[in-house]
Each structure stands twice: as structure tokens, then as C-alpha cells.
Amino acid sequence: KYFSALLWESDQKWDDAYIAYEQAYKIDARNPFLPRDLIRSAKKAQRQETYQKWKNEFSLIEEDPKGYDRGLGELVVIFQQGWGPEKQIRPGGYRFPILRPAFATTRSARVYINGEDRGSTQLIYDIEKMAIKTLEADFGALVARRVGGIVAKAVVADQIRQKNKLMGDLAWIAMNVADRADLRQWSTLPQTIQLSKIYLNPGVYKLRLQGLDSYGSPSTDSFGEIEVKINAGRKTFLNWRSLH
């Protein structure tokens, strides 16, 4: 929802952009960019009452006049940090999975434009945290489904056992050995999605990204210097994925 709002705004579809920003806020209000996004997009969409509502709600947030300057463009750096949690067999319950965080050296990225430090990326969504939370919330239902499966296997094994005790016992063992936790997962998801948004005058800039560890020191991840073109009234998107 948030990225769709950015795209709508880049296409100057102000009302569509506002609707998407509002939907993103309802899903997760912790995105640090959303207060200014909601205020700006409501004003650009000429939703005066809504604009004033957000101004009152975010009374400590100062509007950025650059957000209304049609002569400026905006660089949006999308940083996919780390790797999503790994599915493992839950201790004490081989039928059930658990998600374990994957260690990542690089925790954020610093943006350099023409050699100037323009700040670090900010967290907009924690995939690791939400994936673990979702699986744990669903654990009760997962147990119930597994119990139903165990009961069904017991019935089948008992039916076989009535005709042949040995075959029934073997069937019960085989069905339970095969009944292990489902460890399939989308293994290429990042740990978090972070963003940096910078207003710039139209032109060509040299951009470099440097990964940072948890202490704010440079990590082994870096994005070599490239040229990016900024156009007035448009957004320029750059996506980078850390590896360590």
C-alpha cells in the first residue's frame, strides 16, 4: 500500500496517492514517513478538512515546503536489509515449525549524494518481526489441525490392524515418521524494508550507499557509485538489497 502511494504520487494522481497513504497508515501507523505523507497528499488532493485533521493529529510535525515545490524531484532509496527468519523444527515438537531470526551484519544504509552524507535509511516494515508474530498467533490453529490429522491416521492404522496387527503397527509408525513440520518458506525475503526520501533539484547526481552495522560503523555491504537522474515533479526509485 505504501509503495503504491509513492507511485500514485509520482504520477501526480493526488487523490489516489492520499487513499493509499491512508490505507497504509491503517495497516501500520509506525512508518515514520506517513505523518508528512498524509498531510502533504491530503493538501495536494484538495481534501481541506482531511488536511486539517492530520495537521491537528500530527501537531508536532512540521510540513516540509519542498514537498509542494514542483520544481524539485525526489530520490526514493528502497533498502532491503538482511534476510527473513528461518523455519526450523520447534524444540519438543517435531510436527511443528518455528521461525528463528537470521543474523545480519548490515542493519541500515547511509546515503551519499555527490559525496555528501544525506542520512541513513529508516525502517518502514519489519518482515522478520511480523512473520514470527503471525506464526505464533496461528500456532493454536496449527496444533488443532495436526491433532485432527493424528486422529485420522490412528483410525486408518486401527482399521489395518484389525486385519493384520503387524501391518497396522507399521502403518502407524510410517505415517507418524512422515508427519513432520512443514519447513517450506519464502527464503529470499528481507529482514526489514527501509527507505530514504530526499528532495533534489533536477539534474544528474552521483549516488553511493554504504551499509552500516548495529554500531553505525561501515559494514562489508556497499553500493558502488552510480549516476541517477532527477526530474522535476517526479520520483526516482533505487532498490538495493544487502547480502550480509
Side-chain angles (χ1 to χ4, degrees):
K1 286 299 181 182
Y2 187 71
F3 286 135
S4 68
L6 293 176
L7 292 172
W8 284 124
E9 190 172 27
S10 184
D11 285 340
Q12 301 182 5
K13 303 291 179 60
W14 311 125
D15 206 59
D16 291 322
Y18 172 76
I19 291 170
Y21 279 131
E22 186 180 47
Q23 290 171 338
Y25 183 75
K26 289 177 180 177
I27 294 170
D28 190 347
R30 293 170 295 181
N31 183 330
F33 296 101
L34 274 171
R36 283 192 175 91
D37 291 332
L38 287 165
I39 292 171
R40 182 186 65 256
S41 61
K43 186 173 184 178
K44 286 186 172 182
Q46 298 182 359
R47 293 173 173 244
Q48 194 58 37
E49 291 185 8
T50 306
Y51 164 73
Q52 197 57 53
K53 181 193 78 170
W54 292 121
K55 283 281 290 181
N56 293 337
E57 183 161 337
F58 303 122
S59 58
L60 299 179
I61 300 294
E62 292 185 10
E63 285 186 78
D64 187 348
K66 293 180 180 179
Y68 304 104
D69 189 339
R70 296 181 180 180
L72 298 178
E74 186 177 29
L75 173 66
V76 180
V77 176
I78 302 167
F79 178 47
Q80 300 181 60
Q81 174 267 329
W83 299 92
E86 299 174 352
K87 247 186 182 182
Q88 301 175 5
I89 293 176
R90 186 177 291 266
Y94 69 90
R95 286 187 172 93
F96 306 104
I98 190 171
L99 284 169
R100 299 290 193 189
F103 176 76
T105 301
T106 301
R107 309 300 298 178
S108 62
R110 192 173 299 282
V111 182
Y112 293 91
I113 299 177
N114 289 346
E116 180 185 354
D117 183 349
R118 300 301 298 266
S120 301
T121 54
Q122 297 185 59
L123 174 70
I124 64 168
Y125 197 70
D126 191 326
I127 294 175
E128 176 185 270
K129 183 177 180 180
M130 294 309 299
I132 292 173
K133 181 179 179 180
T134 300
L135 181 62
E136 291 307 304
D138 192 48
F139 184 64
L142 181 61
V143 170
R145 291 194 295 271
R146 286 293 190 180
V147 169
I150 293 169
V151 171
K153 290 181 178 69
V155 170
V156 172
D158 185 62
Q159 289 174 346
I160 297 173
R161 193 179 290 112
Q162 291 175 20
K163 298 178 181 179
N164 186 312
K165 185 177 185 307
L166 178 59
M167 291 301 295
D169 290 342
L170 289 174
W172 172 248
I173 292 171
M175 286 187 288
N176 279 277
V177 167
D179 187 16
R180 302 183 68 82
D182 183 0
L183 300 183
R184 293 174 297 176
Q185 68 174 112
W186 189 353
S187 60
T188 58
L189 284 173
Q191 188 176 75
T192 67
I193 296 177
Q194 303 178 26
L195 216 64
S196 177
K197 298 168 66 177
I198 303 168
Y199 290 109
L200 296 166
N201 288 312
V204 177
Y205 295 83
K206 292 181 179 179
L207 170 70
R208 181 171 66 87
L209 304 175
Q210 175 61 56
L212 303 176
D213 62 21
S214 56
Y215 298 101
S217 300
S219 70
T220 56
D221 279 310
S222 64
F223 188 96
E225 190 172 86
I226 63 167
E227 289 189 345
V228 294
K229 185 177 181 180
I230 303 298
N231 296 306
R234 309 290 292 186
K235 297 183 190 294
T236 299
F237 294 90
L238 178 83
N239 179 54
W240 181 45
R241 173 65 183 268
S242 68
L243 298 176
H244 306 100

